[in-house]
Amino acid sequence: MSGADRFRALHHGRVPGDPLVLPGPWDAASARVFADAGFPALATPSAGVAASLGYADGATPAEEMFAAVARIARAVDVPVSADVEDGYGLAPEELVERLLEAGAVGCNLEDSVDGVLKDPREHAEWLGEVRAAAGDRLFLNARIDTFVRGVDDPDAAIGRAALYVAAGADCVYPIDAPVGVLPLLRSGIQGPVNVHALPGEGPSPAQLGGLGATRVTFGPGLQRRAQGALREIAADLVD
């Protein structure tokens, strides 16, 4: 079974309250920590990787992001999915090849650029081209940015999800959807649903699973907690 097939299988057959929990490594060392802890797969956060490389979120050059993903994937034996933002303007075939060369088994692809939502039908068409180029070699997680772009109507997210799933997305990710609308999203979306969690805050992954999450990711939250812990260590050393 290929890495992508292993990763895809982890998303299916899950029961409520038992979502797939995917920590987000920002470098090889953090990836090894999560893999050694027993997590079956990992999902890199673009913002966390950006911070580790000295860039603001969204400002990492594509070359450096793919190189960072490659170091992470090389460091562990579990499948690694990569957040590659909006695809960096690459043609679908090149995007797929770059991901495969880096050792990724999947990717996040978001539907807004520079803070503006893309036309959902045009984005679905592009996702379809990525799927055609990838075949079954990559797991496509289609991020839906309506809630982070000020569109609070759950039906808008559900409508985008339907287009993206029809285009070949394996999973959809209505990022920052309010907890209260998760059951509605779950009932209106076909296939796996990714939900964002804040480590140490709000509902637990198990609770999010009970509300409809198939899988739970943390964005840059784990990297920021680690940075906070390091800041405390540094302060103790100064004292």
Side-chain angles (χ1 to χ4, degrees):
M1 182 182 291
S2 71
D5 287 338
R6 286 168 55 201
F7 188 60
R8 192 171 285 112
L10 290 170
H11 292 75
H12 296 284
R14 309 203 73 87
V15 298
D18 181 33
L20 174 62
V21 179
L22 298 175
W26 52 95
D27 60 13
S30 60
R32 288 195 183 105
V33 168
F34 295 136
D36 288 347
F39 289 98
L42 308 174
T44 69
S46 62
V49 173
S52 76
L53 297 174
Y55 293 102
D57 184 20
T60 309
E63 290 288 340
E64 294 198 43
M65 183 61 75
F66 286 114
V69 171
R71 288 191 292 271
I72 289 168
R74 188 170 59 242
V76 295
D77 292 327
V78 298
V80 174
S81 182
D83 182 349
V84 288
E85 304 179 87
D86 64 355
Y88 306 114
L90 298 172
E93 294 82 3
E94 183 178 359
L95 175 61
V96 167
E97 290 310 313
R98 297 290 296 276
L99 284 162
L100 294 173
E101 287 173 1
V105 302
C107 63
N108 275 18
L109 293 168
E110 55 200 55
D111 66 353
S112 64
V113 178
D114 298 327
V116 178
L117 286 165
K118 297 180 181 179
D119 177 270
R121 294 189 181 279
E122 292 179 2
H123 186 62
E125 183 177 349
W126 180 75
L127 285 175
E129 293 173 0
V130 176
R131 167 54 70 208
D136 62 0
R137 297 179 295 169
L138 288 174
F139 182 99
L140 302 186
N141 187 35
R143 202 179 91 172
I144 298 171
D145 287 0
T146 51
F147 294 103
V148 295
R149 304 304 177 206
V151 180
D152 296 328
D153 182 2
D155 286 339
I158 291 171
R160 284 176 178 258
L163 290 170
Y164 302 164
V165 170
D170 294 285
C171 182
V172 295
Y173 179 15
I175 188 171
D176 285 358
V179 170
V181 305
L182 292 180
L184 177 60
L185 294 177
R186 173 66 283 170
S187 66
I189 293 174
Q190 296 295 316
V193 176
N194 188 153
V195 173
H196 176 251
L198 297 173
E201 301 177 35
S204 68
Q207 290 170 325
L208 291 173
L211 292 170
T214 309
R215 81 181 210 178
V216 174
T217 55
F218 303 92
L222 297 170
Q223 182 269 331
R224 289 172 180 170
R225 284 196 69 178
Q227 184 174 321
L230 189 58
R231 189 176 291 115
E232 292 179 5
I233 294 171
D236 289 341
L237 292 175
V238 170
D239 291 341

